[in-house]
Amino acid sequence: MSTGTEHERVRPMRADARRNYERLLAQARKAFAEHGTGASLEEVARAAGVGIGTLYRHFPNRYALMSAVFEEAVGDLLARSRALLGADEPCAALVAWLREIITHASEYRGLSRALMSASQDASSALSRCSDPMREAGQALLSRAQESGAVRRDVSITDLLQLTNAIALAAEETPTDPNLADRLLHLTLRGITGP
C-alpha cells in the first residue's frame, strides 16, 4: 500500500514536507475518529497548520488520505491474518479475522461505506488497502474451504462486502452492541451450510 503522490514516492520528502505530511495524518486520524471519514478536509488542513493546497499535494483526494490514515491498521490486520493461517481450526481463524475487520471499521464512522464503494473502483486509493486485505482473506478462506468447513462457492470478495455491511449496520445501530456478533454468526451459518 502506498501513500503520498507519485512524485513523493520517487524522491524522499524534504524535512518540512515530511513534518506537514505527519501533521496532516495526525489531524486526519483525530478528525476521522471524532467526526467520521466525512470530516472536513479544510478543517484537517487548518488543524495541521497548513493550507488545503498542501493537503492536496500530499493526498490528491479523500480516499488517498484515508488510505494513509488506515495503513497501520491494515498492516496489523495483514499480520494477524498470517498468524491465523496456522490455526488448528481454519473456519474459526477466518471468523476471528473477519471480526477484527469489523472492530477496526467501527473505529471510524463512514469507513465501512467507503470500503464498500472502493471495492467497486480499482482506481481508488482505498483499493490499494483492499487488495492486500483481499489476498490475506483469500488465504484464510481457501484453508477453511480445503478443510471442508466452508462452502466452495463462497468468495472472499463477497465475504469482505458482508463484513463491511455488518460493520455499517452496527455503526447505524449504536444502541445494540451485540448486533455485529449476531450478524457475523448468521453469515457463518450461511457460508458453512450445504
Side-chain angles (χ1 to χ4, degrees), residues 13-150:
M13 282 189 245
R14 295 183 332 252
D16 61 331
R18 171 56 63 189
R19 281 191 300 274
N20 288 342
Y21 179 88
E22 295 300 331
R23 283 198 313 261
L24 284 164
L25 277 181
Q27 291 303 320
R29 277 188 196 98
K30 182 178 177 186
F32 290 168
E34 290 176 6
H35 306 291
T37 57
S40 164
L41 297 186
E42 289 82 7
E43 288 298 320
V44 169
R46 188 174 303 118
V50 300
I52 192 68
T54 299
L55 183 144
Y56 283 120
R57 255 190 311 283
H58 289 288
F59 309 102
N61 56 49
R62 180 177 300 275
Y63 284 164
L65 180 57
M66 289 170 62
S67 179
V69 166
F70 306 133
E71 185 172 358
E72 184 177 333
V74 169
D76 292 345
L77 288 166
L78 294 174
R80 182 70 174 132
S81 73
R82 288 187 295 274
L84 287 167
L85 273 174
D88 291 336
E89 295 182 34
C91 186
L94 175 64
V95 171
W97 189 67
L98 295 174
R99 184 173 282 116
E100 289 182 32
I101 292 173
I102 292 168
T103 299
H104 163 64
S106 70
E107 293 174 16
Y108 297 97
R109 193 174 65 252
L111 177 58
S112 299
R113 187 180 314 278
L115 290 171
M116 289 175 80
S117 67
S119 72
Q120 305 300 316
D121 180 5
S123 67
S124 166
L126 272 182
S127 73
R128 289 193 296 268
C129 287
S130 299
D131 293 344
M133 291 288 287
R134 194 174 296 110
E135 291 170 17
Q138 183 60 56
L140 290 168
L141 174 60
S142 293
R143 193 163 174 265
Q145 288 171 324
E146 289 162 8
S147 76
V150 174

Side-chain angles (χ1 to χ4, degrees), residues 89-99 102 141 144-145 147-151 153-154 158-159 162-163 166 180-194:
E89 295 182 34
C91 186
L94 175 64
V95 171
W97 189 67
L98 295 174
R99 184 173 282 116
I102 292 168
L141 174 60
Q145 288 171 324
S147 76
V150 174
R151 295 181 359 211
D153 63 338
V154 173
D158 290 347
L159 260 183
L162 281 168
T163 302
I166 290 169
D181 254 358
R182 286 197 318 274
L183 293 176
L184 190 57
H185 280 98
L186 283 172
T187 300
L188 177 61
R189 282 191 214 136
I191 67 172
T192 58

